[in-house]
Amino acid sequence: MEQDGDAATARLNGVVVNRLAATVDRLRTQIQQAQATADGRALIEMAKGVLVERLRCGPAQAAQQLESLSRQAGVGVLELAADLVNQAAQDKISEAVGQLLRRTTDSDAAAVRLRTAESALLAANGDTQRVAESVLEHALAPLGATAVVIWAAGADASLSLVGFAGIGVQEAERWRYVPPGLATPARQALLTREAVWIEDLDASRLPSIGDRRGGRAAVPVGAGGSLRGVLEVCWPQPIEPQPPQVRRQLAALGELCAHTFEADPLAVQSSDRSDAAGLVRLADGLFDPALVLVPQREHGALTDFRIHHVNSSFVDPAGRPRGLINGALFLETYPMVAEEGRLFERIERVLATGESYRADRVLLTELVDQVPLTVAAALSIGRYDDAVLIVWRLEDDAARLAALLQHAQRLGRVGGFEENAASGEITWSAELFALYGVSAGSDPVPLAQLPGHVHEADSEAVRRFLRTLLQYRRPTSAAFRLIRPDSVIRHVRIIAEPVHDEAGHLLAVRGAYQDISAQHWTEIALSATRDRLTHTEEHAAEQSSLARQLQQAIMPDAQPYTDAFGLRIAVRYQPTEQAHLVGGDWYDTIVLPSKNILVSVGDITGHGITAATGMVVLRNALRGLAATGAGPGQMLTWLNLVAHHLTDHILATAVCGLYDPQTRVLRWARAGHLPPVLIRSGQAVNLPELRGIILGALAETSYEEGEVQLEPGDTLLLYTDGLIERRAEHLDVCVDRLLRVSAEFTGGLDDLVDHLLDGSDADTDDDTCVVGIQVEPSQGPPP
């Protein structure tokens, strides 16, 4: 029975708790509905005010007129109120609504969203939590957003959470304060002063409040040249790039949120106060020149800064007294700072973001008698409340030269020294301790002990150096190998001079050591490289000479004029003028036992002895293959096997032809080579481009064979690309030029091939082969 009583009590308690929870939910819903109704009522009241002003009527008549216009237009009272307010207002909300009305189908909803959010925000009277909830409900939830966060920017560029909606309370508590330096979307918007859109927060790896799996937008909130905070919007899923109208809508909401910060001075940590008394006291306590600036605004926009105070250490770069600077406008006093990327832009950024700026060396330019004067200074800019403190330290010439000397010694690996002749005191620079391989606190090595620290072979040279310096008291220098305590040998050059008084007594010796080890080994490496290069050049010259001799032995520059079986043949070969570019071009004409005439032209890739020997292999192989009686296509198929297997993988192009004097038919084939040119009756054309790839590229391939019936007086030209090719022109253009020149020529065959060689404008430094074949004009028809 007791257990039954406990169970009944538990059930009763559970019912009570459930009823309380239901009551809380109902009350919360009613409050939210009341707030939404109040937001809409505020918008309607704004519209009634517009009608009262325009119609010169009372509030009751304005309400009746609003309802009448709503019925006539067939729209809701809320939609009509938003439209009236948009027409009456000239602000960024009107602009954003106008853009949405032109680009969206749900125009009434868009107008109501923005104006309802505005009226709710104004009714919130600085309650940033309510502002966040209203912005999410009325303006951003229809865009798919699920959470909104409002951040307030601190004077030190920190962020404080002052309003949120759609975020859990515990999550909001964890992000209540974001210290300076933590990279978040809101901080990026604060630093860049532009809206930041992140399609996928997780992919960006930026930490931020809420769910990391969706998209984000962070919009800066500010007015009067100062950023007051950031409006951050969260989407549950990654977002696509948003259209301009959505971006403008969020920018308008950012402008609305600025009113919240104006109404809540705690949200911006009293950023609108301009009491700079404490900053003046701070500036006066500095030894460096300092200025206190307060912003000057017109219509809420930053236009300039007033120089509120300059401390006693301040020195004007133009030489003006402090009295003329104090109280003046900053841009009027220093107009050159307004250039893009100059000082004014940095000050403006510090004021807007609260992030301090420091630089060890910046260039400050000022006009002095209309002449630009540039000085270097270390610069510090910081924001304090609504004022800016600038501290600069002009670069001292002596300090600058000392720093320059230190860098020169470091780069040149130079260490200086001075040795007092009377006291024996020795002063070394830091570089000299490093050169000797000892710690900075070690005792310097006197010059008199230097011979004991050098290589034995260099000790006599060092002693001569010391006699010249200390006994004859003349400036001198020496080079030697310094042996360090760690047994490392450094090649060193020392130069020194004596310092005398007016009576000629030696006071001190000063000079410098320079580590020339890198130079020494570089000279040795260059010498060795020069020797190898000389040997390589001699070897290359021998190879080129051998290749040229081999080439000329196989193919002389010109062959005697050939006339056989009614066919005239003229051949020209022109090697390149550069000896190291001996090529692999070849030509061949031979009468076969079958009385057919073999004609061939080829070109092996590459230069030198390899190309020359490859040319000999392929040319002789083709002669042997021609004796089999095979056709041109079959001969090239076999020659491809020779190029691919029986040599050092030669790659070559070729044209092979067999001319039958009885029928005047030329059977021919090509392997990646330019087709022959046929000249007939004053016209020149290319023979068809038969199928056939370059020799040696594939192990097995076949070559298409073609025939051409020659007529008396026809001329056929076979050539290599060295005749026509130009680097800056397409090959087709070069071929067309050859066809035109060949067609226009009216002389004999020998004159034609000479004319083509002499008039060639090729610029590829390649060998050139030309074979001209002409059927005698007097020859009768074939039998």
Side-chain angles (χ1 to χ4, degrees):
M1 294 294 293
E2 184 177 352
Q3 293 179 354
D4 292 341
D6 293 341
T9 302
R11 284 195 299 272
L12 180 60
N13 291 337
V15 170
V16 172
V17 170
N18 290 337
R19 287 176 178 174
L20 288 175
T23 301
V24 171
D25 288 340
R26 184 175 68 255
L27 292 175
R28 182 184 295 109
T29 302
Q30 291 176 355
I31 291 173
Q32 292 175 348
Q33 292 176 349
Q35 289 179 347
T37 302
D39 295 342
R41 186 178 298 111
L43 182 59
I44 292 174
E45 291 300 323
M46 292 171 64
K48 288 166 59 178
V50 172
L51 292 177
V52 168
E53 190 275 334
R54 291 188 176 180
L55 301 180
R56 299 292 190 269
C57 63
Q61 293 176 320
Q64 295 176 358
Q65 187 67 26
L66 187 62
E67 293 180 0
S68 175
L69 291 174
S70 172
R71 290 193 300 270
Q72 294 176 11
V75 298
V77 175
L78 197 59
E79 288 81 357
L80 180 61
D83 191 28
L84 287 172
V85 172
N86 285 336
Q87 294 179 13
Q90 299 296 327
D91 55 12
K92 292 198 175 184
I93 294 295
S94 301
E95 179 184 352
V97 170
Q99 296 290 345
L100 288 169
L101 292 176
R102 291 192 290 270
R103 291 177 170 81
T104 64
T105 57
D106 191 14
S107 59
D108 291 337
V112 172
R113 283 202 303 269
L114 284 176
R115 282 304 175 188
T116 304
E118 180 189 26
S119 60
L121 188 148
L122 296 175
N125 194 27
D127 185 352
T128 51
Q129 183 62 34
R130 183 179 172 186
V131 168
E133 294 170 354
S134 179
V135 166
L136 176 62
E137 177 185 356
H138 296 298
L140 295 176
L143 298 179
T146 56
V148 168
V149 180
I150 299 177
W151 304 94
D156 58 351
S158 62
L159 293 171
S160 299
L161 191 150
V162 294
F164 63 93
I167 301 290
V169 176
Q170 292 182 349
E171 177 74 1
E173 190 63 32
R174 287 198 313 113
W175 287 87
R176 181 63 63 184
Y177 174 76
V178 179
L182 181 62
T184 65
R187 179 167 175 79
Q188 285 190 351
L190 186 68
L191 295 181
T192 61
R193 293 184 284 173
E194 295 180 353
V196 174
W197 289 82
I198 301 176
E199 298 176 9
D200 187 349
L201 182 64
D202 190 45
S204 71
R205 300 186 181 276
L206 290 176
S208 189
I209 190 173
D211 192 349
R212 294 182 50 81
R213 293 173 295 179
R216 288 296 170 97
V219 181
V221 174
S226 298
L227 289 187
R228 305 299 180 88
V230 178
L231 173 67
E232 186 169 354
V233 185
C234 312
W235 282 269
Q237 301 295 334
I239 58 175
E240 299 293 331
Q242 296 298 300
Q245 55 266 33
V246 174
R247 293 175 180 264
R248 282 189 288 268
Q249 184 176 356
L250 259 68
L253 291 173
E255 290 288 336
L256 282 176
C257 289
H259 297 292
T260 302
F261 293 105
E262 291 173 358
D264 184 8
L266 294 179
V268 293
Q269 302 176 357
S270 302
S271 63
D272 56 349
R273 291 188 294 112
S274 59
D275 181 13
L279 199 56
V280 169
R281 290 192 294 271
L282 175 61
D284 285 339
L286 299 175
F287 289 104
D288 294 319
L291 303 88
V292 177
L293 305 181
V294 294
Q296 300 294 298
R297 300 181 175 96
E298 292 184 7
H299 308 294
L302 178 69
T303 58
D304 200 349
F305 289 89
R306 179 77 62 181
I307 301 177
H308 182 75
H309 179 72
V310 294
N311 67 357
S312 58
S313 301
F314 176 79
V315 177
D316 178 52
R320 291 168 292 192
R322 290 196 300 272
L324 293 179
I325 305 299
N326 220 347
L329 289 175
F330 191 59
L331 287 179
E332 290 183 2
T333 308
Y334 301 107
M336 298 295 289
V337 302
E339 293 185 14
E340 184 177 358
R342 293 299 183 97
L343 184 58
F344 189 86
E345 186 175 312
R346 296 187 179 114
I347 300 173
E348 185 181 21
R349 181 186 181 90
V350 170
L351 176 68
T353 65
E355 184 180 32
S356 299
Y357 174 84
R358 289 181 60 88
D360 291 334
R361 190 174 190 272
V362 297
L363 298 179
L364 304 177
T365 303
E366 182 49 45
L367 290 176
V368 180
D369 295 331
Q370 303 304 314
V371 177
L373 173 65
T374 300
V375 296
L379 186 65
S380 173
I381 308 174
R383 189 184 84 183
Y384 301 84
D385 292 336
D386 200 33
V388 175
L389 174 66
I390 302 178
V391 181
W392 65 42
R393 179 184 301 163
L394 297 181
E395 192 174 72
D396 181 71
D397 287 342
R400 180 169 57 87
L401 291 176
L404 182 63
L405 179 58
Q406 287 182 350
H407 288 301
Q409 290 178 346
R410 175 180 56 84
L411 294 173
R413 304 181 69 87
V414 175
F417 70 90
E418 183 174 277
E419 187 168 326
N420 191 298
S423 64
E425 181 183 0
I426 303 174
T427 303
W428 274 10
S429 67
E431 290 78 9
L432 201 48
F433 287 100
L435 177 61
Y436 265 83
V438 296
S439 61
S442 302
D443 293 332
V445 176
L447 285 175
Q449 299 179 13
L450 184 57
H453 294 266
V454 304
H455 192 278
E456 184 179 357
D458 299 330
S459 58
E460 183 58 32
V462 172
R463 290 189 180 94
R464 287 197 302 269
F465 163 80
L466 293 176
R467 283 197 300 270
T468 303
L469 178 66
L470 301 177
Q471 294 182 14
Y472 303 119
R473 299 184 181 180
R474 293 199 302 264
T476 185
S477 63
F480 54 88
R481 284 163 288 182
L482 177 69
I483 302 177
R484 305 196 321 182
D486 55 5
S487 300
V488 173
I489 297 178
R490 307 300 297 176
H491 291 262
V492 175
R493 177 184 292 114
I494 184 172
I495 182 170
E497 65 176 2
V499 180
H500 306 91
D501 61 11
E502 296 180 354
H505 300 112
L506 181 65
L507 299 179
V509 175
R510 61 190 174 198
Y513 290 78
Q514 183 180 18
D515 187 349
I516 58 172
S517 301
Q519 177 183 345
H520 172 78
W521 294 116
T522 300
E523 290 175 353
I524 292 178
L526 285 176
S527 178
T529 302
R530 192 178 299 111
D531 292 341
R532 289 195 298 269
L533 181 59
T534 301
H535 174 73
T536 302
E537 290 176 346
E538 291 174 354
H539 179 70
E542 293 175 359
Q543 292 284 310
S544 298
S545 176
L546 178 60
R548 179 68 71 201
Q549 293 173 13
L550 178 62
Q551 187 183 63
Q552 291 176 348
I554 299 298
M555 294 184 306
D557 295 348
Q559 284 190 340
Y561 182 83
T562 303
D563 190 348
F565 300 101
L567 196 68
R568 299 175 180 174
I569 302 174
V571 177
R572 297 291 186 273
Y573 176 75
Q574 181 173 288
T576 177
E577 295 180 358
Q578 301 189 39
H580 66 283
L581 293 178
V582 176
D585 290 16
W586 90 80
Y587 62 87
D588 201 7
T589 59
I590 184 173
V591 179
L592 301 175
S594 63
K595 305 304 181 183
N596 288 341
I597 299 175
L598 171 69
V599 181
S600 67
V601 167
D603 185 1
I604 292 179
T605 59
H607 299 86
I609 191 67
T610 301
T613 54
M615 172 269 294
V616 174
V617 170
L618 293 188
R619 185 174 182 269
N620 291 340
L622 187 57
R623 279 194 169 192
L625 294 173
T628 64
Q634 184 61 55
M635 284 192 287
L636 288 183
T637 299
W638 290 335
L639 193 63
N640 176 69
L641 291 174
V642 174
H644 190 80
H645 292 292
L646 302 182
T647 65
D648 189 16
H649 194 63
I650 290 175
L651 296 176
T653 65
V655 171
C656 175
L658 284 177
Y659 177 72
D660 186 350
Q662 299 297 321
T663 61
R664 293 202 301 270
V665 172
L666 176 73
R667 297 165 57 199
W668 70 286
R670 60 185 286 270
H673 200 87
L674 294 169
V677 173
L678 175 63
I679 305 172
R680 175 180 294 171
S681 302
Q683 294 184 344
V685 296
N686 283 320
L687 294 186
E689 290 193 4
L690 303 179
R691 177 180 52 83
I693 67 170
I694 190 171
L695 296 173
L698 298 176
E700 295 183 3
T701 186
S702 60
Y703 294 87
E704 183 181 1
E705 193 172 290
E707 292 186 356
V708 58
Q709 177 70 57
L710 298 182
E711 300 177 0
D714 284 354
T715 300
L716 201 66
L717 295 176
L718 289 76
Y719 61 96
T720 58
D721 55 9
L723 177 67
I724 63 170
E725 193 172 15
R726 292 184 60 82
R727 296 185 182 92
E729 292 184 349
H730 194 277
L731 189 59
D732 291 342
V733 177
C734 302
V735 172
D736 290 342
R737 185 183 298 108
L738 173 64
L739 295 177
R740 184 177 66 256
V741 173
S742 302
E744 294 173 352
F745 191 78
T746 57
L749 183 61
D750 276 300
D751 295 335
L752 172 62
V753 293
D754 288 336
H755 175 69
L756 293 177
L757 276 179
D758 295 341
S760 173
D761 58 354
D763 60 358
T764 56
D765 296 325
D766 203 358
D767 293 358
T768 302
C769 283
V770 184
V771 178
I773 304 171
Q774 188 177 65
V775 181
E776 292 184 355
S778 60
Q779 187 178 2

